[in-house]
Amino acid sequence: MYGSVPQNIFELTMSIEVDILRDAIRSLKATGKDGFEGLLALALGRITKNPMRLAASGFQFGVDGQGEDRNNPVCFEAKRYKSKISRETVLTKIADLGRRDDEADILWVLGATVEIPNQIAQHLQTDGLKQGVATLLLDWNDNGVSSLATTLANAGDDIGEWIAVRAKKDASAIDLTRILDAMRQTAEYQERWSSLRFQFSASEISTGNATVNNKIWLAETFKSSSMARQRLGQPTAPESSEIPVLPRQEIQDEIVSRLAANPTVVIVGEEGRGKSWVAAKACLNVPGFAIIVGAEKFEGRTSSQLGSLIVDELAKQCGDSAGTGVRWEKRVRAWQSQPPKSPFVVVVDGINQRPDIKWVHILTVLEGWLVNHGGKLIVTSRPTYFQKNVQGGFHPGRPINVQNWSAKERDQILQQRGIEQNWLDPKTKESLCNPRLLGIALSVLPVKKDDAWKGLNVERLLFEHILRTEKDQYENVAPADLCLRLSADAQRILDQIDGNSDEMPTPVFEIEARAVAESRFFQAIPGPHGGYKRLCCANQLTDGSPLSPD
């Protein structure tokens, strides 16, 4: 009991002395270099090492003053009030600042001698995010540690004297200096300053806000196949609860490790194994922000236009949180001299789907651009296409190969959905190791109904797969056309057999670039004569039937 008395006395004394400081500040003139505006300008200039200039009277674009250093745009609004601050007096300032597009980042500091209500504080932050303006509120909280008082206590030993000379309320320089010094020595104020001191950089706050909004945008996109299709052009939804996904943590750890040591990571995988999903999941795991750009976005683009494409996608996939495109251009340009602390990641997804693009040149230029701006590159492709068409001229190191689900992983997913192992024959179970085929089966067939699953076979799964790829817009070939073509190829083999030819029937046909590049039902034949052959799954499709009528 005895030990608590000095502490209580100290807290009471400290509270009284903080009130003395507050009353002295409130007695200052509201404007001018000898008023509250001048005090805030002095403190901010010292802390940011960016001397502040007060704005002239009249329309001020939402600021009472701003820093001289245009590379670190800090501006402020000073409100010397004794009663409540009104919503209308501050919210319009953010809109005015949003009209300034000549800075890459802007930090707007609101200094107030009263407490800013929580609702107004939230609205300021929300509006700031929309306008690409970082906000910092320095107010006076009578029931806690004041952020304004904390800032003044760390702005120099002569702040107390500065206030005493100009305050209308009787307060000595010695008393005010002692009060500010006591604050610096108090644990609560030290803890407040340890977090507050890092919030005076416009670029760091804006980058942090952009990262938060980017993660939110990606998470919303990946939770819904329809949302992913709308935003990214394909239903990449690794966060969806309706689709069977396991974390594949080893691959994720390898991606993060490779990105830390290399400018580019290539992820390859055969059809339906989930390479795009692995890359999407990596976007959520990297510390900085990340964007996904489909291969189709590069059609018709020259190498000189790649930077503008990335800037546009950054603005969109950061939820437009950083304001206008002009501001994003300036921010990205600034990264050449001062890159973000955590590298941002650009995923170029599915290059095999656009085989006519000169990917060696595009990826080489893009990698160089990202290196110069503090970024990293992830590329996804089918292995055959990448090895044959890209790897010879673009050398990012050994690709990460995404495999099918293991039997154990497949069984774990089936068990989670209530599907018994004895419902499926061995061949069908093997096909369900393909993540996309398993996802299609689970989305089309009713779970926990053995009669729906007992008749399932590979042929029906593959046919449903064709219908789904058209719906998801993976292919440029309509299902009916593809099936007719596969049937025609199969008929040629049957004709060879019926003709009693001395030569063995062969599934090798004339070359077709897109079919081979896709490597879904066709595979390139090595050698100088080229050509392609049908895979076994294509043969099975010729007499398959759909799982569902649509």
Side-chain angles (χ1 to χ4, degrees):
M1 182 70 178
Y2 175 78
S4 66
V5 174
Q7 179 66 28
N8 292 338
I9 293 175
F10 171 79
E11 291 176 355
L12 178 61
T13 303
M14 192 67 190
S15 175
I16 293 173
E17 294 195 331
V18 170
D19 288 347
I20 294 173
L21 174 64
R22 178 202 62 198
D23 292 343
I25 295 173
R26 286 180 178 176
S27 72
L28 293 170
K29 294 190 300 181
T31 61
K33 63 180 182 179
D34 289 327
F36 182 56
E37 287 180 352
L39 175 62
L40 198 57
L42 176 64
L44 291 176
R46 290 177 174 179
I47 290 171
T48 64
K49 295 181 173 55
N50 183 5
M52 298 286 141
R53 291 183 179 273
L54 295 182
S57 58
F59 187 58
Q60 301 171 331
F61 284 98
V63 301
D64 290 329
Q66 65 181 35
E68 296 178 355
D69 184 3
R70 296 185 65 84
N71 293 321
N72 183 26
V74 178
C75 54
F76 68 89
E77 180 79 8
K79 295 297 182 185
R80 191 225 60 186
Y81 285 11
K82 294 182 180 179
S83 58
K84 291 182 179 181
I85 196 167
S86 67
R87 182 177 183 274
E88 291 74 17
T89 59
V90 292
L91 285 182
T92 57
K93 309 297 183 180
I94 299 293
D96 291 338
L97 280 171
R99 298 184 180 95
R100 294 169 49 168
D101 60 4
D102 55 336
E103 295 103 343
D105 298 296
I106 300 176
L107 172 61
W108 180 73
V109 181
L110 174 60
T113 55
V114 294
E115 184 175 2
I116 299 172
N118 182 60
Q119 187 176 21
I120 294 178
Q122 289 181 343
H123 288 169
L124 286 170
Q125 185 178 31
T126 300
D127 289 357
L129 288 173
K130 291 179 180 178
Q131 297 291 342
V133 176
T135 57
L136 175 59
L137 308 184
L138 303 177
D139 64 348
W140 201 281
N141 183 356
D142 289 325
N143 298 317
V145 179
S146 163
S147 56
L148 177 60
T150 304
T151 300
L152 295 175
N154 290 275
D157 295 336
D158 60 342
I159 290 293
E161 182 179 356
W162 191 100
I163 297 172
V165 170
R166 295 161 177 81
K168 296 178 181 179
K169 192 173 185 66
D170 187 21
S172 71
I174 294 177
D175 287 343
L176 295 183
T177 299
R178 177 178 50 78
I179 292 170
L180 290 167
D181 183 63
M183 287 181 180
R184 287 195 298 271
Q185 306 303 320
T186 305
E188 290 82 0
Y189 282 90
Q190 290 177 350
E191 183 178 354
R192 184 74 178 93
W193 179 243
S194 66
S195 62
L196 189 62
R197 62 187 300 183
F198 298 108
Q199 299 182 39
F200 290 90
S201 169
S203 60
E204 288 191 18
I205 292 180
S206 295
T207 300
N209 289 339
T211 302
V212 170
N213 281 276
N214 172 245
K215 300 301 184 186
I216 293 174
W217 190 93
L218 290 174
E220 290 176 348
T221 301
F222 298 155
K223 281 183 179 179
S224 165
S225 296
S226 59
M227 179 65 74
R229 187 182 295 109
Q230 175 186 335
R231 289 180 170 181
L232 302 176
Q234 61 178 354
T236 305
E239 297 296 293
S240 172
S241 60
E242 301 176 355
I243 302 172
V245 178
L246 295 179
R248 286 181 160 172
Q249 194 58 48
E250 290 185 5
I251 293 181
Q252 292 299 325
D253 292 343
E254 185 177 3
I255 292 173
V256 173
S257 175
R258 294 267 202 100
L259 283 175
N262 302 280
T264 299
V265 172
V266 176
I267 302 173
V268 299
E270 297 292 354
E271 167 61 20
R273 290 185 177 178
K275 53 190 174 293
S276 295
W277 290 45
V278 166
K281 192 71 174 178
C283 289
L284 295 174
N285 293 334
V286 296
F289 41 82
I291 61 173
I292 298 180
V293 187
E296 70 280 356
K297 295 285 183 71
F298 291 86
E299 285 187 312
R301 299 259 183 179
T302 64
S303 57
S304 63
Q305 297 172 323
L306 297 182
S308 61
L309 171 62
I310 301 305
V311 169
D312 291 343
E313 291 299 322
L314 280 169
K316 181 179 75 173
Q317 297 188 34
C318 287
D320 290 328
S321 62
T324 66
V326 174
R327 184 164 294 146
W328 262 106
E329 289 175 8
K330 293 180 179 294
R331 175 175 295 153
V332 172
R333 192 181 306 131
W335 289 343
Q336 293 184 73
S337 57
Q338 188 176 359
K341 287 186 176 180
S342 297
F344 67 100
V345 174
V346 174
V347 177
V348 179
D349 189 30
I351 62 172
N352 54 275
Q353 294 179 15
R354 293 297 185 272
D356 297 333
I357 294 177
K358 296 179 179 179
W359 285 115
V360 170
H361 176 66
I362 290 293
L363 295 177
T364 300
V365 173
L366 181 58
E367 182 187 67
W369 188 92
L370 289 171
V371 168
N372 290 334
H373 292 80
K376 302 279 187 173
L377 177 62
I378 293 178
V379 179
T380 72
S381 175
R382 295 200 187 124
T384 302
Y385 177 81
F386 183 79
Q387 182 179 10
K388 186 173 182 179
N389 299 280
V390 182
Q391 196 166 18
F394 183 65
H395 311 284
R398 177 177 57 85
I400 296 175
N401 198 339
V402 178
Q403 302 293 334
N404 277 335
W405 296 128
S406 67
K408 182 179 179 180
E409 290 170 329
R410 175 205 61 205
D411 293 346
Q412 179 182 345
I413 294 171
L414 291 174
Q415 184 178 8
Q416 290 174 351
R417 300 304 178 97
I419 297 164
E420 300 292 337
Q421 299 291 318
N422 59 9
W423 295 355
L424 305 167
D425 62 67
K427 188 176 180 181
T428 301
K429 286 177 64 177
E430 182 181 354
S431 71
L432 292 180
C433 286
N434 181 287
R436 185 175 296 163
L437 291 181
L438 178 56
I440 290 172
L442 289 171
S443 65
V444 172
L445 296 175
V447 297
K448 299 182 180 179
K449 290 187 177 181
D450 59 343
D451 56 342
W453 287 79
K454 282 185 176 179
L456 183 63
N457 55 42
V458 178
E459 292 81 359
R460 293 171 63 202
L461 265 178
L462 288 170
F463 200 96
E464 185 64 30
H465 168 60
I466 292 180
L467 296 175
R468 183 61 58 91
T469 54
E470 182 195 34
K471 185 182 298 184
D472 295 340
Q473 296 181 337
Y474 283 111
E475 302 295 347
N476 293 327
V477 181
D481 295 338
L482 179 57
C483 289
L484 285 173
R485 179 160 148 249
L486 291 172
S487 297
D489 288 345
Q491 187 61 49
R492 289 179 58 187
I493 297 176
L494 293 175
D495 290 343
Q496 287 180 332
I497 296 174
D498 293 340
N500 296 319
S501 173
D502 294 334
E503 297 182 3
M504 289 291 295
T506 173
V508 177
F509 304 92
E510 295 178 2
I511 189 69
E512 181 176 313
R514 183 172 295 277
V516 177
E518 288 300 307
S519 65
R520 179 175 289 108
F521 302 111
F522 304 90
Q523 189 175 71
I525 299 297
H529 302 295
Y532 67 93
K533 67 178 180 179
R534 294 198 323 165
L535 301 177
C536 60
C537 60
N539 298 329
Q540 295 163 347
L541 272 172
T542 55
D543 58 358
S545 57
L547 291 173
S548 60
D550 58 355

